[in-house]
Amino acid sequence: MEKKNKSCQSCGMPLSNDPKGGGSNADGSISEKYCSYCYENGDFRYKGNVKDFQEFCRRKMVEGGHSRFKSWLFTRGLTRLERWKNA
């Protein structure tokens, strides 16, 4: 069984903010590690590297109304998340 996380281990978004309650595993169950924006049917939706993913997330946060500084600061921590630690 997966370890219960409070945040997506790909993008860092609080899983409580995920409208679907988490991403979907290959068997159709809800992932307790990754959000629905990052993980679907047992696979990651974004295929790029962490640097490109940081920029992608930063732009999405700005589009969502966050300040440019807060968006930049938040995405700096992505490299510490499980998905990117050994990338």
Side-chain angles (χ1 to χ4, degrees):
M1 184 171 189
E2 290 183 4
K3 175 185 162 202
K4 181 77 171 163
N5 293 287
K6 291 185 179 187
S7 299
C8 175
Q9 293 299 296
S10 177
C11 72
M13 180 184 81
L15 290 173
S16 60
N17 291 357
D18 189 335
K20 294 183 180 180
S24 59
N25 293 313
D27 65 5
S29 64
I30 298 291
S31 171
E32 293 184 353
K33 260 186 208 179
Y34 304 111
C35 74
S36 62
Y37 299 111
C38 291
Y39 200 65
E40 186 175 58
N41 299 319
D43 198 16
F44 292 105
R45 297 175 76 183
Y46 189 88
K47 305 294 186 192
N49 63 41
V50 69
K51 185 175 180 180
D52 293 340
F53 189 60
Q54 285 174 315
E55 180 59 22
F56 174 79
C57 290
R58 189 195 64 73
R59 282 193 317 263
K60 288 293 185 183
M61 288 181 71
V62 169
E63 287 171 14
H66 295 281
S67 72
R68 288 175 41 188
F69 176 74
K70 183 178 179 180
S71 301
W72 172 84
L73 188 63
F74 178 81
T75 58
R76 299 304 95 197
L78 293 182
T79 56
R80 293 189 299 265
L81 296 173
E82 188 175 318
R83 178 181 180 194
W84 307 107
K85 267 186 186 175
N86 301 317

